[in-house]
Amino acid sequence: MLIAVLPMFGGLFAYIVDLPPLYMLAKAWPVLTAPLALIAVWRLNPPYRPLLLAACTWLLGVTPFISVTQLGNDVFGALASTAKIWPLTGAFGAAASLWLVRPSPQDLTRAVGALAAVTFGFLVGAWLFAPDALFQQGIADTKVFLSDAERGRRINAPMMFGILALFLINRSFWRRPALWKALLILGGLVAMVVMYKQRAQIGGTVVGLGLGAILSLRRWQGPAMMATAAVVIAAAIPVVLWLGQSAADSLGGSLSMRQIEAEHALAFLNDQPWRWVVGVGSATRVGNVTLGDIVGAPFFFPSDLGWLGVVFEYGVIGAGLMLALHLVAIRMAWEASRCGQVVGAAVLDYAIFLLVVSPVVSVVLSPGELATVLALSWWLVRTPPAPSDAASGSAP
């Protein structure tokens, strides 16, 4: 049951047009699980309920009508543009599902491990055996088999549970060191660098692994964090001073495109400064207008702009609500990590990971991941392990 529903609440197939049945199910999932969401809202009352309801009210209820007035969008197109936010309601549906299934932390650990095995198995298998023709398709036909001049062929697999498993193994390693755990972490990172090639996610994974190691050092946490910060700052200063523009050039066309999109976004927001507060809404291909038409750019995707893109669509109000939800997720995951289970600590690392990558990976592009972290944290806090389990740490 967990293996079936967790990826759906995570919204992992919301953009995978390569698998039409799962793609359509992912789009319909928030509607299909609406009764579960109602159960969570009215009966379970998770602590993030008021903030999440406020966020959904603004993002799903208010913003579409702002887009009608600001972008000239039709009502149907404006409402359709909210589809990418629907998975955020999964924080309620997933909480109700966990309440009904009542998994133990060990059940969640096994489910994450199984999903990670499928994730990395597909990543490696697709890299080795996928025919070249699949990488020549247009973006309308594939979101998985990608190719570009800077990175070459790459597999854009949904990596949530693969990364979460790396965090879980990392936490387990620092409790009970073993060579095979270190090799699994190294193998996962190599697969991501060679085959996945999403720079922000890879960097965020490394940060998550490092923080997980530091937080596992117990009484040495403070010195370790200060030493790490000193090393990072010391390394960053010469990079910024010496590399200069060459560092930007090495990132290729993706950075140049983002710079152009950012300039158009800033110009449009500054044209009427109150747009910074409430945003201008969004548009979708089923509507009668595109954002590119509005801002005067051939290609314009707010999801490329991180938090600036969130402000563009939903204003400082919407961005503030989403940031608050991420901070609540980290706080709740911190509480879950203190229950003694490795899976709780891994969820904390993933909550931090989501915030680390948010300047590049828009928080409204895959809100199902945040929703799943909120629900898992709530359940792990609600169902602490037995004293004997907590003492052992239940490390795999």
Side-chain angles (χ1 to χ4, degrees), residues 86-97:
W86 293 351
L88 190 62
T89 62
F92 293 132
S97 297

Side-chain angles (χ1 to χ4, degrees), residues 2-3 104-116 168 343:
L2 292 172
I3 292 171
S104 67
Q106 292 79 10
D107 294 329
L108 291 172
T109 298
R110 286 190 289 268
V112 170
L115 289 168
L168 193 152
V343 67

Side-chain angles (χ1 to χ4, degrees), residues 11-297:
L12 301 193
F13 303 102
Y15 299 99
I16 308 301
V17 296
D18 309 68
L19 297 171
L22 287 177
Y23 172 75
M24 297 304 297
L25 180 60
K27 293 297 186 184
W29 189 256
V31 178
L32 296 176
T33 57
L36 291 174
L38 292 176
I39 291 174
V41 170
W42 297 113
R43 181 169 181 176
L44 302 181
N45 190 22
Y48 50 79
R49 185 185 71 166
L51 181 59
L52 184 57
L53 287 175
C56 290
T57 299
W58 181 264
L59 301 176
L60 299 175
V62 177
T63 299
F65 295 98
I66 293 176
S67 75
V68 171
T69 60
Q70 286 297 297
L71 304 179
N73 213 347
D74 62 275
V75 175
F76 176 77
L79 294 175
S81 69
T82 65
K84 64 184 178 184
I85 300 295
W86 293 351
L88 190 62
T89 62
F92 293 132
S97 297
L98 293 169
W99 176 71
L100 291 172
V101 177
R102 299 186 180 277
S104 67
Q106 292 79 10
D107 294 329
L108 291 172
T109 298
R110 286 190 289 268
V112 170
L115 289 168
V118 173
T119 299
F120 281 106
F122 172 78
L123 185 66
V124 175
W127 176 261
L128 293 176
F129 302 111
D132 291 339
L134 290 178
F135 295 90
Q136 307 305 318
Q137 301 178 94
I139 196 170
D141 300 314
T142 182
K143 295 294 191 297
V144 176
F145 303 99
L146 305 182
S147 179
D148 57 60
E150 288 82 19
R151 287 172 283 186
R153 296 198 329 171
R154 55 192 176 96
I155 309 296
N156 188 31
M159 291 298 297
M160 176 181 181
F161 290 99
I163 295 173
L164 182 58
L166 292 181
F167 293 157
L168 193 152
I169 297 169
N170 181 54
R171 288 294 194 143
S172 175
F173 173 84
W174 291 103
R175 293 190 181 197
R176 296 180 180 177
L179 178 61
W180 65 269
K181 297 176 184 178
L183 292 176
L184 281 179
I185 295 171
L186 179 61
L189 287 175
V190 169
M192 291 178 67
V193 170
V194 174
M195 305 167 191
Y196 182 54
K197 300 182 180 180
Q198 293 287 91
R199 293 175 290 237
Q201 286 86 338
I202 294 171
T205 301
V206 173
V207 171
L209 291 171
L211 287 176
I214 291 172
L215 294 175
S216 298
L217 294 177
R218 302 184 186 280
R219 62 179 180 178
W220 297 102
Q221 289 177 5
M225 293 182 73
M226 289 188 290
T228 301
V231 170
V232 170
I233 293 172
I237 291 175
V239 168
V240 173
L241 294 178
W242 297 344
L243 295 184
Q245 186 61 36
S246 63
D249 295 339
S250 67
L251 293 177
S254 62
L255 180 60
S256 300
M257 182 62 71
R258 283 183 169 89
Q259 289 175 331
I260 294 172
E261 290 175 324
E263 291 172 0
H264 285 289
L266 291 170
F268 193 74
L269 290 173
N270 290 331
D271 186 54
Q272 297 183 29
W274 63 268
R275 290 174 174 170
W276 283 92
V277 179
V278 300
V280 299
S282 188
T284 179
R285 63 178 180 272
V286 302
N288 62 349
V289 67
T290 68
L291 288 179
D293 297 334
I294 295 296
V295 302

